[in-house]
Amino acid sequence: MPGLEDLYREIILDHYKSPRNRGSLEPPAVRSEGHNPLCGDEIEVFLVVKDGIVDDIKIGGQGCSISQSSASMMSAAVKGKPVEQARALIHRFKHMMSIDEGGEEPDTSAPLGDLEALQGVVKFPVRIKCAVLSWNTLAEALDIAAE
Amino acid sequence: MSFDVQKVRADFPVLAELINGKPLVYLDSANTSQKPNAVINAMTHFMQHGYAPTNRSAYKLAADATDKFEGARAKVAAFINAPKVHEVIYTKNATEALNLIVRSWGSANLSAGDAVVLTHMEHHANIVPWQMLAAERGFTIRWVPLTSDGLLDLSNLSTLLDGAKAFSFTAMSNVLGTINPIKELCAAAHKAGAIAIVDACQAVPHMPTDVQAWGADFVTFSSHKMVGPSGIGILWGRESLLDAMPPFLGGGNMISDVKVEGFTCAELPAKFEAGTQPIIEAIGLGAAVDYLTAIGMDNVRAHEHDMTVLALNSLNDRFGSDITIHGSTDAALRGATISFAYRDVHPHDISQVLDQNNVCVRAGHHCAKPLMRILGSNATVRASFYLYNTPSDVTALCDALSEAGDFFTL
Ligand SMILES: Cc1ncc(COP(=O)(O)O)c(C=O)c1O
């Protein structure tokens, strides 16, 4: 049986305790919200897209260490990146969480950085939903921003 | 009869299982209960020796199956002291029983300008069906608020009930453990001219039930929380109300006659039992009722009371100000369902560490989001004890909780 240290890697607890890009943004920033009906976790993503770049992102809401750290790492990973790259990262992250959305195999050549630490979540299937909550919410925010 | 928890445990095969070499500490019975051999064997025996359709075919095997299926109904009626056996209706679960009341009684009786009273501690099963019908009919829903120690605040009850047509409330909160004054609430409803609906999902498994002493009009509960199988629940209702209500689901079994021009309904209880019923599950529920009756519901309540006192004391002694236990501190006013917050560790993370020690608790909103909003959190840890839990389960919970504390304060 996988142990707790497989799940709660130090870097995860670090992001949980000191979340990056925490807060909110006023309109014209777009806002999307995600819920995990199973455990009640809530995530808000505030997003500013300028010239095809994720210019600013803030994360709100409450949740467990996995959902919160995943959101924190995500925000750090996509901030300042082109929208296309953010979308590719969403695809790749969900693939890592063994969520098959069809489409092409993601390009896994670039290093994942801190996000690598979330790999262990796959061994705890009930927690996968926690890890992907913020990513689905980001995808929705990107869709809204593209409208 | 004296109560011996070790003897009770021996009746539940799953409690003897080892997971990764460690015993199972099952503290999620408010969610669903484990099953004793008496239930498992009754269902298996019926499938091996007596399974047949009920109420349809004339051969002996079918007649015997019908007798057993109806015998289980009589057992349930006696268990809750229903005046008439045919007032006991089989449903899929408590949720379906509540939807039946709302769709059938509610559709016939509620329109714009009417009001229904609920409380802030209801399970979604006793909220959403009302909201669905209210959206169609335009009646209003009023809410009985809570006191700071998690009891119903009854100070304005008569105003809230004034002009209301129904008061629907839980007998015991599935989050706070609060046991409500059922008799008093039913009487208050009647005084205002409203019917009283008791969601007894968390009461029937844990304490003696007497629908007549309560003075209720409808009572709903689920078999799976009372050591019976999943897939069957009960609606009990007063005959006069059930007779006057339109049917809920249409199909086979619920009709007296069908012509191309229309249909006529069967008598109770078949009127509300459309289609092939949960036959095997009814046999299992009957066996669950026999099992609980033999143990004695007073004994079950007394044991859970002792477990509640022990758990509240142990959690407070070991964790002091690190733990916030929701609901009343008085074990006389509550059941053995204990929701808490532990420091600022998220419930989902606590339940993960507990699971590593085979301690099964629920972490989440417990299908009571309006209540969670009042508690000011979107999740709690809930440990719920039943007749098979022991003091060593309380110790296991506390030990695992300290481990979670250590782990999350690196
Ligand atoms: C108070 C209460 N009401 C209703 C229900 C719904 O029961 P079921 O899911 O068996 O229909 C529950 C179960 O969690 C409950 O605790």
Side-chain angles (χ1 to χ4, degrees), chain B residues 30-31 93-96 98 123 125 170 172 174 199 201-202 222 224-225:
Chain B
N31 207 333
N93 47 33
T95 301
E96 189 182 78
L98 286 160
H123 185 281
T170 187
M172 175 180 137
N174 66 315
D199 172 3
C201 229
Q202 296 289 345
S222 286
H224 68 90
K225 293 187 203 276

Side-chain angles (χ1 to χ4, degrees), chain A residues 1-5 7-8 13 16-17 35-42 62-66 124 126-127 130, chain B residues 20 344-346 348-350 352-353 355-356 362-365 369 373 376-379 403 407-410:
Chain A
M1 180 161 117
L4 286 176
E5 23 346 296
L7 181 64
Y8 295 118
L13 295 175
Y16 178 46
K17 283 170 192 154
H35 296 263
N36 183 345
L38 196 72
C39 60
D41 283 4
E42 292 168 359
Q62 298 175 8
C64 66
S65 60
I66 300 301
F124 297 81
V126 286
R127 303 305 292 275
C130 309
Chain B
N20 296 308
D344 53 0
V345 186
H346 193 276
H348 216 156
D349 292 317
I350 291 176
Q352 188 79 57
V353 180
D355 186 36
Q356 236 44 29
R362 183 160 172 194
H365 54 63
K369 285 190 108 176
R373 292 203 167 85
S377 68
N378 52 9
E403 194 182 320
F407 196 84
F408 283 95
T409 30
L410 296 174

Side-chain angles (χ1 to χ4, degrees), chain A residues 65-147:
Chain A
S65 60
I66 300 301
S67 73
Q68 293 294 299
S69 63
S70 181
S72 170
M73 291 179 192
M74 174 190 83
S75 70
V78 301
K79 193 168 167 177
K81 298 276 161 46
V83 168
E84 284 320 301
Q85 217 171 311
R87 286 197 190 274
L89 192 59
I90 295 171
H91 182 53
R92 181 171 169 194
F93 184 80
K94 290 176 81 167
H95 185 81
M96 181 170 99
M97 291 295 116
S98 67
I99 295 172
D100 184 10
E101 295 182 303
E104 284 172 33
E105 283 280 306
D107 174 6
T108 53
S109 54
L112 264 181
D114 288 359
L115 287 167
E116 205 84 57
L118 285 165
Q119 188 107 51
V121 173
V122 185
K123 295 184 203 149
F124 297 81
V126 286
R127 303 305 292 275
I128 290 175
K129 277 204 176 89
C130 309
V132 297
L133 177 64
S134 57
W135 296 81
N136 286 332
T137 314
L138 172 63
E140 203 183 298
L142 288 169
D143 289 344
I144 301 171
E147 274 167 15

Side-chain angles (χ1 to χ4, degrees), chain B residues 42 45-73 75 90 279-280 282-283:
Chain B
H45 186 270
F46 180 65
M47 284 188 278
Q48 286 173 333
H49 304 290
Y51 185 72
T54 54
N55 295 322
R56 284 186 188 180
S57 304
Y59 47 88
K60 183 166 186 324
L61 192 68
D64 288 349
T66 304
D67 283 350
K68 293 197 180 88
F69 177 76
E70 291 302 327
R73 191 191 309 276
K75 289 176 186 182
Y90 291 131
I279 306 168
I280 302 156
I283 304 307

Side-chain angles (χ1 to χ4, degrees), chain B residues 30 121-123 169-182 198-207 214 301 304 308 333-338 384-385:
Chain B
M121 62 166 80
E122 296 313 308
H123 185 281
F169 57 89
T170 187
M172 175 180 137
S173 164
N174 66 315
V175 178
L176 304 167
T178 311
I179 298 170
N180 289 319
I182 305 164
V198 183
D199 172 3
C201 229
Q202 296 289 345
V204 174
H206 302 290
M207 60 191 80
W214 286 352
R301 170 65 188 147
E304 290 184 29
T308 306
L333 300 179
R334 62 178 298 154
T337 286
I338 300 176
S384 52
F385 300 82

